[in-house]
Amino acid sequence: MNPREFARRRRQLMRMIGRGGVALLAAAPERVRNRDVTFPYRQDSDFLYLTDFPEPEAIAVLIPGRDHGEFILFCRDRDPERERWDGERVGTDGAVRDYGADDAFPITDVDDILPGLLEQCERVYHTMGTHPEFDARVIGWVNALRQRAGAHAPHEFVALDPMLHDMRLYKSRAECSAMRRAARIGVAAHRRAMQATQPGMYEYEIEAEFLHEFRRHDAVPSYQPIVAGGHNACVLHYTRNNARLQEGDLLLIDAGCECEGYASDITRTFPVSGEFDARQRDLYDVVLEAHRAAIAKVGPGHHWNEPHEAAVRAVTRGLKRLGLIDGNVQRLVRDEAYRPFFMHRTGHWLGLDVHDVGDYRVGDQWRLQEPGMAMTVEPGIYIAADSGAPKAWRGLGVRIEDDVLVTRDGHQVLSAALPVDAEDIEALMARAGR
Ligand code: GLY
Ligand code: MN
Ligand code: MN
């Protein structure tokens, strides 16, 4: 992404903070996986959004002022010895040259330099709770100033996230194009999985198709893929992915990838054999109807909950048609009779975080959808093996999930290139010559 995009975001945030404020943000720490091995590093989403800076052990300081304000970065120094082992570091010169910092200092000097910067400010904007060790340091710096005779200390802590997360909710052109790319690669991986699936394979073999497709496009999974054959589909966050796929089963796959930090999050459910049986097809079509009804409620002017309300009505009507619940539809909706079978919401914001930031309500009202907001639409029906449903239905789970962008005149389904009609899925699987 163009460095100007990050500079624009910093300027916008500093305008909101105003003179006398200072924003402090920390890079995500590295996490140990085992002994001296770390998990693959992922930058903190807020930090990434404002800096594009890829390394741990960094602190960003934004000080609004005349012109466009100041962006100061504390980061790791260059270190030839360490770089021989772990690869090149950006260093302070690189932070100024490549990341738009007005000034940069070694992170080891932060305790000496940062209090002097805070002394000029009245309000400290900071997000509590994401990185507790950083929270303690911020409080420590301010308290030390308050106790130092003759020093001026900021008198107020202000939550940074309401402003910053509201900004993140509206995706720019560059963000939309990263999300389109994440969706495109996600779609290609799902197509590949549909074509590769054969009875007798293991769930992890299908997971491998996703990893291959993601990595060959320089993307990484945006969350642990859910590859759930048969009744495993009824475990919403199933990630063991180690069961054998049976001829007559459905396979639910919820997998997406991340490009430049932006996630896709896509689910399809299809028959291992390549053909839905009558009962699977009936259930699938109910979920598809709910999915379509929900997507129709994505667009400017609709409120956040309208897609969910539409999905709930369609799922309830469908469950009644299938004989899984009985009664007056309006009353069934009111009494949430669908909940044993549809226990999650129909979507969430999507962006740098899979479950992206941004409020769903404003005061006591659902938020209105506006152009640039991105969300998933993902109704599902799960009939657990131990549910009271008639035996023939037990163990079936279906979810259909697409990524949808609110546009000026409606919406765009970013993952629309992936077959969703039962016939289209069967045709794609048949074409694979399975
Ligand atoms: N993959 C997580 C979700 O669909 O929300
Ligand atoms: Mn998902
Ligand atoms: Mn989702």
Side-chain angles (χ1 to χ4, degrees), residues 77-91:
D77 244 335
R78 300 294 303 265
D79 179 343
E81 172 64 16
R82 281 316 318 162
E83 289 180 42
R84 175 173 296 284
W85 290 85
D86 301 331
E88 203 176 320
R89 294 179 174 184
V90 173

Side-chain angles (χ1 to χ4, degrees), residues 26-91:
E30 263 188 316
R31 300 278 183 209
V32 173
R33 182 178 184 280
N34 60 288
R35 200 161 153 82
D36 56 352
V37 175
T38 53
F39 281 103
Y41 184 70
R42 168 56 156 76
Q43 186 55 279
D44 174 86
S45 295
D46 284 340
F47 198 87
L48 188 63
Y49 181 77
L50 291 170
T51 68
D52 200 25
F53 195 75
E55 295 180 6
E57 295 182 72
I59 292 171
V61 184
L62 301 179
I63 309 176
R66 271 195 303 275
D67 304 327
H68 51 257
E70 252 191 310
F71 165 38
I72 295 163
L73 198 62
F74 292 88
C75 62
R76 299 185 303 196
D77 244 335
R78 300 294 303 265
D79 179 343
E81 172 64 16
R82 281 316 318 162
E83 289 180 42
R84 175 173 296 284
W85 290 85
D86 301 331
E88 203 176 320
R89 294 179 174 184
V90 173

Side-chain angles (χ1 to χ4, degrees), residues 203-232:
E203 292 163 343
Y204 50 74
E205 293 179 79
I206 307 302
E207 181 181 359
E209 299 291 332
F210 280 85
L211 301 181
H212 186 123
E213 194 66 22
F214 294 164
R215 288 306 298 135
R216 85 192 190 94
H217 288 106
D218 194 19
V220 293
S222 46
Y223 53 92
Q224 259 183 287
I226 296 166
V227 183
H231 59 81
N232 293 334

Side-chain angles (χ1 to χ4, degrees), residues 17-253:
I17 288 172
R19 293 280 196 95
V22 56
L24 300 179
L25 296 105
E30 263 188 316
R31 300 278 183 209
V32 173
R33 182 178 184 280
N34 60 288
R35 200 161 153 82
D36 56 352
V37 175
T38 53
F39 281 103
Y41 184 70
R42 168 56 156 76
Q43 186 55 279
D44 174 86
S45 295
D46 284 340
F47 198 87
L48 188 63
Y49 181 77
L50 291 170
T51 68
D52 200 25
F53 195 75
E55 295 180 6
E57 295 182 72
I59 292 171
V61 184
L62 301 179
I63 309 176
R66 271 195 303 275
D67 304 327
H68 51 257
E70 252 191 310
F71 165 38
I72 295 163
L73 198 62
F74 292 88
C75 62
R76 299 185 303 196
D77 244 335
R78 300 294 303 265
D79 179 343
E81 172 64 16
R82 281 316 318 162
E83 289 180 42
R84 175 173 296 284
W85 290 85
D86 301 331
E88 203 176 320
R89 294 179 174 184
V90 173
T92 49
D93 291 347
V96 172
R97 187 184 60 238
D98 301 330
Y99 292 90
D102 296 299
D103 216 341
F105 302 101
I107 186 74
T108 43
D109 293 349
V110 68
D111 288 325
D112 299 329
I113 297 172
L114 190 58
L117 298 172
L118 296 181
E119 243 193 308
Q120 313 159 22
C121 303
E122 308 298 331
R123 305 176 310 281
V124 176
Y125 291 76
H126 158 250
T127 299
M128 283 279 174
T130 319
H131 305 300
E133 293 136 36
F134 182 62
D135 297 348
R137 294 186 78 182
V138 171
I139 293 166
W141 289 318
V142 172
N143 281 346
L145 277 180
R146 284 179 181 165
Q147 282 155 18
R148 197 193 307 155
H152 173 88
H155 51 76
E156 199 181 350
F157 284 104
V158 188
L160 179 64
D161 37 319
M163 289 175 199
L164 182 53
H165 292 177
D166 207 66
M167 280 174 66
R168 280 178 52 189
L169 186 52
Y170 298 86
K171 273 67 181 177
S172 69
R173 200 189 286 259
E175 290 178 290
C176 290
S177 93
M179 293 189 69
R180 267 192 204 98
R181 193 158 159 258
R184 197 161 56 237
I185 297 166
V187 165
H190 274 271
R191 294 180 78 98
R192 184 177 168 129
M194 285 177 188
Q195 294 180 298
T197 296
Q198 302 271 6
M201 288 175 80
Y202 284 85
E203 292 163 343
Y204 50 74
E205 293 179 79
I206 307 302
E207 181 181 359
E209 299 291 332
F210 280 85
L211 301 181
H212 186 123
E213 194 66 22
F214 294 164
R215 288 306 298 135
R216 85 192 190 94
H217 288 106
D218 194 19
V220 293
S222 46
Y223 53 92
Q224 259 183 287
I226 296 166
V227 183
H231 59 81
N232 293 334
C234 298
V235 179
L236 295 179
H237 288 163
Y238 176 82
T239 50
R240 275 193 204 152
N241 300 353
N242 61 358
R244 198 160 188 183
L245 300 174
Q246 310 293 332
E247 169 92 32
D249 280 349
L250 290 176
L251 175 57
L252 181 156
I253 303 181

Side-chain angles (χ1 to χ4, degrees), residues 265 348 355 376 378 401:
D265 178 7
H348 47 83
H355 297 164
T376 66
E378 50 176 311
E401 175 173 31

Side-chain angles (χ1 to χ4, degrees), residues 13 15 83 215 277 318 360 402:
L13 184 66
R15 260 200 309 275
E83 289 180 42
R215 288 306 298 135
D277 70 24
Y360 292 101
D402 277 306

